[in-house]
């Protein structure tokens, strides 16, 4: 039985990856320190014979007993609200955390896949974004803590690949959504759905003409799974190229949720990208991968998930007490 370590296992994507690898017959070790994750996301795997969980901060030395075939490094705050509140932890998990996991991969002879992001393209001047675009990132802007951590993560991963011959994979993930996202993490889908469920107006930042493209989590996981098993070491975009303006998207949410509230407008945050759309030609060619889940179908599943939350979860304004985790 192949063994895989998944960091960030208690988070949104990490928990779905744990499910996928368990279903594929792997032995899975999930690792997380719960800084933005939630035990609830893994509760269904608690007694699974092929699942083990380790509560650990990956910015500290990481050690695993026995063999390891694969590592998927997904630990990192991922939403702007999170990384603006815990900027130093964000920089540390992308740099020190990645270094620790590359070292572990080298020691075990394991293949490692790291979760990079479309944020490496910053506020892109090229549209849609292909993997050979270098990006337009403000290093010292508020989002720089995340963007630069991820850019460093890619650099050190390629250095381990080139210098040590380590088997590495880099996925550049574009906006992904689905069940187990946090309602209050500031990302647009949970934000709109939470507002609709609480009977609040839907908030658009800016004039709503900025575009986004949203990939359903099952499609994302399929792309990541195929990339891990491929033989391609350079970055690959995985995301859904179907682009929509935030204003149009708000209208879709109003229709889906049946809310009678209106849309209100607030100032656009600094360095918020105006356009984001992956060019997925490389993923198509290399992995035979294209997203399959239609936005209306994925949004319905996601809304059903948010509807199943308790009143307490729905009205909690702050999901996380970051203070208990801060030791920089
Ligand atoms: N969801 C997306 O649309 C998206 C887009 C681009 C990139 N990504 C990347 O995918 C990964 C997962 O994102 P997500 O949306 O699931 O976020 P998430 O916040 O739901 O999950 C991240 C997990 O990492 C854990 N974590 C953070 N720092 C840690 C540390 N030092 N040690 C151990 N665990 C730690 C958190 O507790 C959390 O469970 C991140 O690396 C993120 O940058 C996600």
């Amino acid at each position: 039985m192949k063994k895989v370590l998944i960091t960030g296992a208690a988070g949104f994507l990490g928990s779905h990856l744990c499910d996928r690898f368990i279903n594929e017959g792997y032995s899975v070790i999930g690792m997380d320190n719960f800084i933005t994750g939630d035990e609830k996301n893994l509760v269904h795997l608690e007694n699974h014979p092929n699942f083990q969980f380790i509560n650990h901060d990956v910015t500290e030395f990481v050690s695993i007993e026995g063999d390891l075939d694969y590592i998927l490094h997904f630990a990192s705050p991922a939403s702007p609200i999170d990384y603006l509140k815990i900027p130093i932890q964000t920089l540390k998990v992308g740099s020190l955390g990645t270094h620790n996991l590359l070292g572990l991969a080298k020691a075990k002879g394991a293949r490692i896949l790291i979760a990079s992001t479309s944020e490496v393209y910053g506020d892109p001047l090229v549209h849609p974004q292909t993997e050979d675009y270098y990006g337009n990132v403000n290093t010292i802007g508020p989002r720089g803590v995340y963007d630069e951590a991820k850019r460093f993560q890619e650099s050190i991963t390629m250095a381990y690949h080139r210098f040590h011959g380590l088997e590495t994979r880099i996925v550049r993930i574009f906006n992904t959504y689905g069940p187990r996202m946090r309602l209050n993490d500031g990302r647009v889908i949970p934000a709109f759905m939470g507002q609709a469920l609480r009977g609040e107006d839907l908030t658009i930042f800016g004039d709503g003409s900025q575009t986004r493209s949203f990939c359903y989590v099952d499609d994302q996981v399929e792309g990541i799974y195929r990339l891990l098993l491929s033989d391609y070491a350079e970055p690959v975009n995985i995301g859904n190229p179907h682009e929509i303006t935030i204003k149009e998207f708000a209208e879709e949410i109003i229709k889906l949720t049946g809310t009678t509230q209106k849309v209100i407008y607030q100032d656009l945050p600094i360095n918020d990208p105006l356009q984001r759309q992956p060019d997925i030609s490389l993923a198509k060619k290399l992995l035979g991968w294209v997203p399959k889940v239609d936005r209306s179908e994925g949004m319905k599943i996601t809304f059903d998930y948010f509807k199943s939350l308790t009143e307490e979860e729905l009205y909690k304004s702050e999901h996380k007490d970051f203070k208990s985790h801060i030791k920089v």
Side-chain angles (χ1 to χ4, degrees), residues 235-303:
V236 178
N237 290 340
I238 299 284
N240 191 322
H242 193 160
E243 200 179 5
I244 183 170
T245 68
I246 292 295
K247 202 171 169 181
E248 284 165 338
F249 184 58
E251 283 155 16
E252 279 189 9
I253 295 283
I254 289 172
K255 222 187 235 169
L256 168 72
T257 60
T259 179
T260 50
Q261 302 299 126
K262 58 184 190 306
V263 170
I264 53 169
Y265 292 86
Q266 282 183 15
D267 290 345
L268 198 65
I270 301 174
N271 299 139
D272 197 45
L274 291 180
Q275 271 187 320
R276 234 351 129 52
Q277 187 192 24
D279 182 315
I280 57 165
S281 318
L282 186 62
K284 267 188 203 161
K285 192 171 115 204
L286 273 179
L287 315 172
W289 176 88
V290 281
K292 297 224 165 85
V293 182
D294 190 61
R295 193 170 56 242
S296 60
E297 187 190 342
M299 288 298 164
K300 190 179 170 320
I301 301 168
T302 309
F303 187 54

Side-chain angles (χ1 to χ4, degrees), residues 13-85:
L13 289 178
S15 64
H16 284 280
L17 284 164
C18 289
D19 290 344
R20 174 65 188 261
F21 280 84
I22 287 283
N23 290 339
E24 295 286 344
Y26 289 72
S27 165
V28 176
I29 305 172
M31 183 173 282
D32 207 291
N33 69 347
F34 297 111
I35 191 163
T36 60
D38 196 329
E39 284 174 16
K40 200 179 123 181
N41 293 335
L42 291 176
V43 78
H44 59 291
L45 293 178
E46 212 169 33
N47 298 317
H48 196 289
N50 299 337
F51 184 73
Q52 186 196 340
F53 182 77
I54 302 174
N55 186 338
H56 184 70
D57 179 340
V58 300
T59 67
E60 311 278 339
F61 180 73
V62 183
S63 140
I64 297 287
E65 275 177 28
D67 295 342
L68 207 51
D69 298 287
Y70 300 115
I71 298 173
L72 286 97
H73 179 30
F74 276 68
S76 170
S79 87
I81 281 199
D82 291 343
Y83 56 74
L84 295 181
K85 279 195 184 146

Side-chain angles (χ1 to χ4, degrees), residues 176-190:
T176 300
Y177 72 97
R180 303 187 196 150
M181 290 186 92
R182 272 170 37 216
L183 203 54
N184 299 309
D185 77 356
R187 290 186 261 195
V188 66
I189 293 174

